[in-house]
Amino acid sequence: MARVAVIGAGVIGVSSAYLLARAGHDVTLIDAASEPGMGASAGNAAQLSWAYGDAMASPALLKHLPAIAMGRDPAFRIHWQLDRDFLCWGLKFLANTPFRCWWNNTEEILRLAEQSRHELAILLKETDIEFDYRVAGKLHLYADRQSFAAADSSVARKNALGFEQRLLTRGEAEDVEPALAVYQGEIAGAVYTPSDALGDAAGFCRQLTTWMIERRQVSVLFGGRVSSFLQTEGVLTGLRFEDRDELRVDAAIVAAGPEIRSLISDLPEVRDIRPVRGYSLTVRRTGLAPSISLTDVKRKLAFAAIGDRFRVAGLADIERPGAGFDARRFDTLKLAASAVLPDLFERSDELMRWSGERPMTPTSKPVIAASRRIKGLYINAGHGMLGWTLALGSARCVVDLFQ
């Protein structure tokens, strides 16, 4: 049994703490915030996209890069920086846009998502936590025939891997989700994935942490910001904090999201992780809200009904770390959502506006690795927009690194 610190109490860190404790380790969960799930997990799209782990760097995105670079695509924005790491990240991203690279990256992500689905099934049997989880199914909506036709190849490849996806006409999609009858966006066709699920990621973090504390499976240290690592001859021995006593450990998992670069920026394993800022808007759910998760491919919007709430998430701003949110981007998100579901986003009460940095790699694959410089230090970060989907699978990979 090892004394293990998990730094970061979002879905990645909480999932890692859960599986490490289940493996018999003495776990301390640490976060600078006052409670778990307050970072990127607080306002994400809520979708558990088992069959949609598509890497962002793709041939389709490459076609749109000129428009994105000139600021003509409202869903994406790039803050250009004369920074070596930024330029290297961008070049690596471009290198991963060819079809073969995109599919290889996507296939690896899908395998990790399948591992997450397996681990979640075990967790749901073992615990009694509630986080508005349900197998809702998902519809990807395509605005024009060209993009819908291009989806055919991806669907065939995913079905060959064992996923279930179906191509639907708009009428067939409305049979699956009657609320689409009033959807104002163009729908040339849809891809339906009945097995995809959703759940409140922040609720998952809070409920699972409480469940572990009550069973004395983990200790927690909230409001504690790690400043550096203690080591002897390259072997991790403990953590140093900004405002509290040192903590002696045998190993540490860094799952601190976008803060990982400031904490261990000198490690080569994290150089490919950069923040991509996203936004979400949560309103009160009404009878008009779709029950199935929706993704508007043209507008890059994800919709999810979470209990008595309805959320739209979207936008991807590649920016310098710590740049902060832009209030005008909330307006962009609400305008886009209101254009397709006006009765929900123009007339419903706003419950929460959220913006946060999601750590991402050029391949969209997370970094799950042991540090080559500090023995006993492990990285579990860089999941981008798929952190909720990949959390438990990534945690399983971390536990396997200990074997």
Side-chain angles (χ1 to χ4, degrees):
M1 179 180 71
R3 297 171 300 170
V4 185
V6 177
I7 304 168
V11 286
I12 307 301
V14 170
S15 296
S16 298
Y18 165 70
L19 286 181
L20 285 163
R22 202 170 75 187
H25 298 291
D26 180 5
V27 180
T28 301
L29 181 62
I30 301 168
D31 201 286
S34 59
E35 63 179 88
M38 294 187 70
S41 302
N44 67 11
Q47 297 182 354
L48 290 159
S49 303
W50 311 128
Y52 194 78
D54 295 34
M56 180 184 282
S58 66
L61 186 62
L62 182 62
K63 294 178 182 178
H64 292 291
L65 277 181
I68 294 171
M70 292 184 287
R72 295 177 181 174
D73 188 321
F76 289 93
R77 191 168 65 176
I78 299 175
H79 291 263
W80 297 100
Q81 302 153 52
L82 292 175
D83 173 81
R84 179 179 175 275
D85 286 347
F86 172 80
L87 296 175
C88 287
W89 193 96
L91 290 173
K92 290 178 180 178
F93 184 91
L94 288 173
N96 279 278
T97 55
F99 182 86
R100 186 173 67 175
C101 295
W102 166 78
W103 177 249
N104 287 341
N105 292 334
T106 296
E107 191 172 9
E108 287 189 40
I109 294 168
L110 289 172
R111 289 197 189 100
L112 189 57
E114 186 61 25
Q115 180 68 62
S116 276
R117 176 159 59 174
H118 173 74
E119 294 293 345
L120 180 60
I122 297 172
L123 182 149
L124 291 172
K125 290 180 180 179
E126 180 178 328
T127 74
D128 56 356
I129 65 172
E130 296 286 342
F131 54 101
D132 290 316
Y133 168 80
R134 61 190 176 92
V135 180
K138 182 157 66 173
L139 285 163
H140 271 74
L141 309 177
Y142 291 85
D144 56 78
R145 292 182 180 179
Q146 183 179 5
S147 62
F148 182 51
D152 190 20
S153 171
S154 176
V155 168
R157 285 173 175 267
K158 290 177 181 179
N159 285 339
L161 292 176
F163 295 98
E164 180 189 357
Q165 290 193 321
R166 301 201 299 269
L167 298 169
L168 305 180
T169 64
R170 175 161 189 159
E172 291 169 334
E174 289 179 5
D175 289 339
V176 172
E177 176 47 80
L180 284 179
V182 297
Y183 196 80
Q184 301 298 303
E186 315 90 326
I187 305 177
V191 173
Y192 177 44
T193 311
S195 62
D196 275 1
L198 58 78
D200 179 5
F204 171 87
C205 293
R206 292 191 298 268
Q207 292 293 320
L208 185 55
T209 300
T210 299
W211 187 89
M212 292 187 291
I213 292 171
E214 289 175 348
R215 286 153 184 80
R216 299 182 180 179
Q217 292 189 350
V218 301
S219 301
V220 296
L221 201 166
F222 294 128
R225 187 177 296 277
V226 177
S227 59
S228 61
F229 299 96
L230 302 171
Q231 53 183 301
T232 301
E233 297 181 351
V235 178
L236 182 71
T237 59
L239 308 179
R240 182 178 289 114
F241 294 84
E242 291 182 356
D243 55 359
R244 61 186 64 213
D245 294 338
E246 297 172 354
L247 178 67
R248 293 290 169 176
V249 297
D250 303 308
I253 315 298
V254 184
E259 295 182 3
I260 192 168
R261 284 179 61 91
S262 61
L263 185 59
I264 49 175
S265 59
D266 58 328
L267 296 185
E269 291 85 5
V270 304
R271 287 176 184 163
D272 281 345
I273 298 176
R274 292 195 68 84
V276 177
R277 181 169 288 278
Y279 292 78
S280 73
L281 174 63
T282 306
V283 298
R284 197 174 306 282
R285 183 182 178 184
T286 70
L288 299 172
S291 178
I292 288 176
S293 294
L294 304 176
T295 294
D296 187 315
V297 176
K298 176 183 177 181
R299 296 171 178 83
K300 304 296 186 296
L301 300 176
F303 300 95
I306 317 163
D308 60 357
R309 296 161 293 156
F310 190 69
R311 178 174 296 165
V312 58
L315 311 186
D317 294 353
I318 300 173
E319 58 188 14
R320 59 180 176 80
F325 76 91
D326 183 343
R328 293 171 297 181
R329 296 295 276 163
F330 280 119
D331 297 334
T332 299
L333 179 67
K334 186 173 183 179
L335 184 65
S338 298
V340 293
L341 289 170
D343 288 337
L344 286 169
F345 291 99
E346 288 181 359
R347 299 179 179 88
S348 296
D349 295 335
E350 288 189 18
L351 301 178
M352 183 180 75
R353 290 188 169 201
W354 173 89
S355 175
E357 294 180 342
R358 301 160 299 186
M360 185 173 175
T361 66
T363 63
S364 295
K365 296 184 297 185
V367 177
I368 307 170
S371 169
R372 297 191 296 271
R373 290 188 181 175
I374 305 175
K375 185 177 180 180
L377 183 64
Y378 300 82
I379 297 100
N380 188 6
H383 299 73
M385 283 74 91
L386 293 168
W388 183 207
T389 297
L390 303 179
L392 283 160
S394 300
R396 168 52 58 194
C397 292
V398 165
V399 173
D400 290 345
L401 288 174
F402 274 67
Q403 307 305 320

